[in-house]
Amino acid sequence: MRFYFILLLIISALACTKPAAAQTAGLSTAQRPWNAQWIAAQGDNGKTYGVFYFRKNINLAAKPKVFVVHISADNRYKLYINGTLVSLGPARGDTYYWNYETVDLAPYLSAGKNTVAALVWNEAQYSPAAQISVRTGFILQGSSPTEELLNTNDTWKGVQDMGHQPIPGYFFAASKGELVDMNKAIKADWTTAGFDDSTWPAAGKLADGKLKGMAWGINWALVPSTLPPREMTYQRLLKLRSAAGINTPAGFPETKAALTIPANTTVSLLLDQTFETNAFVTLNFSGGKDAGISLGYAESLYEKGTKGVNKGNRNDVDGKEFVGRIDSLVADGSKGQSFTTLNFRTYRYIKLLVKTKDEPLVIDDLYGTFTAYPFKRSSVMNTDNAEITQMLDIGWRTARLNAWETYTDCPYYEQLQYIGDTRIQAVISYYNTSDDRLARNALNQMDHSRLPEGITASCYPSNGTQVISPFSLWYIGMLHDYWMYRGDNDFISNKLPGARGVLDFFSKYQQADGSIKDTPYWAFVDWAGNMWGEVKGKDGSAAIYDLQLLWAYQWAAEMESKIGLKDYAQIYNSKATQLKATIQRKYWDPAKKLYADTKERNGYSQHVNSLAILTGMVSSADMPALAKKLLNDKSLTQCSVYFKYYLHQALVKAGLGNDYMNWLGIYRENMAMGLTTWAEYSDVNTSRSDCHAWGASPNIEFFRTILGIDSYAPGFSKIKIEPHLGAITKISGAIPHPDGNVSVAYAFENSKWKITISLPQKTSGILVWKTKTYKLKGGYNSFMI
């Protein structure tokens, strides 16, 4: 979200470790007061940038079978046992819901001496926009009296690493770069038992650890994280695209090979991962006293002379220049120096720049450790259409790079969980995985973000408050999505008071006829025409906002009638009826047979007319004609790649779903331009972000539209199968379901369609095939039509 950028301007050893095996958030937590203390390094004021190390040595008579502890920090931590990384966190939240991770340390402990060490850092004034903070702090609490041997208190030692400084530079709402002077830094072996910490002072107490609800004042109200540990996978860079000042070994960088840079030499290497990734980057090097090293990271290169605007084909490097974020290092001349980024970096290209002084420097190795939320792709698509397969793979990569502890809009720039983006991302998760924990986390956090006046923040967690008022209405849509695709009535019913607060907020801006006047805050809809917040008639209203409110009333009424309060359902249904009549009267243009953007009828958009179809404003008989105008009338404000999610649903509802493959031009353009993830804007050449999950909706629609699999009742308890195959004559696939899987297969043989459908045993459904409807039972169903 570009606006948030402007708003914010105003106002080592990861490679071979796999902490996912150790960090087990599902372990039960005793709901008793903690006696561990929040600790900090002596003399640290907690409010400025700093990287800190904490250590404690313990002796164990025997290797334990279980040794469970709970860990948290502000801002972030990496926990090591005897030199091995076993946990990183905490998952981002806010001070009222400050997450801690639960970890079984037993696999990493041994009889005798053991060292438990924590790297804790606070980016303070340089923190990412998504990072909420009280001050620098660290806490570890044993799960039982046995494990309380490790409780944080003055038996721990702590120091600040003075070799670490931030690199503000190139603006990001995400984390900044790092400057590490190895001459001043504490060496990497500080995590091991052999390290001499005799000069380290004892850590200082900040506060007692308090679980949420156990303190009358709140700094960090501790709650157990509901999320699993992130995936951590070793990942090598694959290609050298250019080298200046040196000849590189064969196979470098894909194959580990030492690279010696002579004294008094400047070397520049452009390395290509060949696809976009999120990874903790590790550089191992030796010698090179006082040599300067720069690691630059970029999603793409820019055409020279365009001032960082035009990107062109992402595969091309000739005639391009590198613009990106950087980390900088100063070598201390010793053997075995190592640097690993505190936070992951997003990149396709890495530029390695080295300038040596009087000693040669050896690059021992350079690699990444891929990280993301540990989604497992359980959807299946069997097709001989290579384009569908490629689009699904690109969309899945896009979704994965935008999911770690929260969903994010983009991994390179902002890393913020925006509601408009997240609604689509959550449905991608429902269709492609059986894991809904990140979606539940998002719904909880959005509920926590609500202002006292009822409306949600546009993105959360966030250390600032930005409000995009229509996104609160998409939040109600997210609740309805979860209810339909995953169920859990108790979870959703507990969120309905928040939905009521949102609708009560909007009711204050409704005129007598129900139309919203002067939608407050930022009224962003889409990066298209005036839909980014300027659409408004002379009376202060606009169709797009009235239609979003109408849809929210419809969703809320349906949920209230089944799992909430029926009185609210009646109120919302009444408001929806009034609003439908008002929308028809104010915005319908009988001459153009379109809904106008405003009462003055001097602008028209795909956005408004798509929502008119989706909210039931348009009769079944009239939908096909309106849908054809949406496709063919180029005078309409066109939806960006983001809002095509709603446009395509409207076209399918209007009966044009068999043409779905014809609507994917923007994705074909992305692929032709060499992208490996979907760009933020429809202008692929100048798109700011090369990885925006709001554009990954084909990973829904290939299953929902083409294969035709959709929920037909709350909790997916009934299933509707209505395929839109177009010219496809053979295809099959499956998606996860709360009670198993839904699989379908279609094959045109001997002038007939052979259709097989398998539903979970506890469900039922219907098959809609052209003009006929067939009943489906749980289990196997077969048809020859």
Side-chain angles (χ1 to χ4, degrees), residues 314-379:
R314 307 314 196 261
N315 296 321
D316 296 340
V317 299
D318 293 337
K320 297 283 191 73
E321 60 184 353
F322 188 98
V323 179
R325 64 188 309 174
I326 62 169
D327 294 314
S328 295
L329 312 172
V330 178
D332 69 1
S334 67
K335 186 176 181 180
Q337 299 166 75
S338 184
F339 165 75
T340 297
T341 56
L342 295 173
N343 298 292
F344 70 76
R345 301 294 185 241
T346 298
Y347 57 89
R348 171 175 171 174
Y349 291 100
I350 289 183
K351 184 175 183 179
L352 174 62
L353 180 65
V354 179
K355 187 173 183 179
T356 57
K357 291 195 174 180
D358 295 335
E359 293 182 6
L361 179 129
V362 179
I363 301 295
D364 297 312
D365 203 5
L366 174 62
Y367 56 84
T369 302
F370 170 77
T371 187
Y373 184 89
F375 277 129
K376 302 300 181 184
R377 189 177 177 184
S378 52
S379 60

Side-chain angles (χ1 to χ4, degrees), residues 134-156:
V134 177
R135 57 148 294 153
T136 310
F138 174 63
I139 190 167
L140 186 150
Q141 168 72 43
S143 184
S144 74
T146 299
E147 288 99 343
E148 286 182 357
L149 172 68
L150 276 180
N151 279 10
T152 43
N153 49 40
D154 61 7
T155 63
W156 282 71

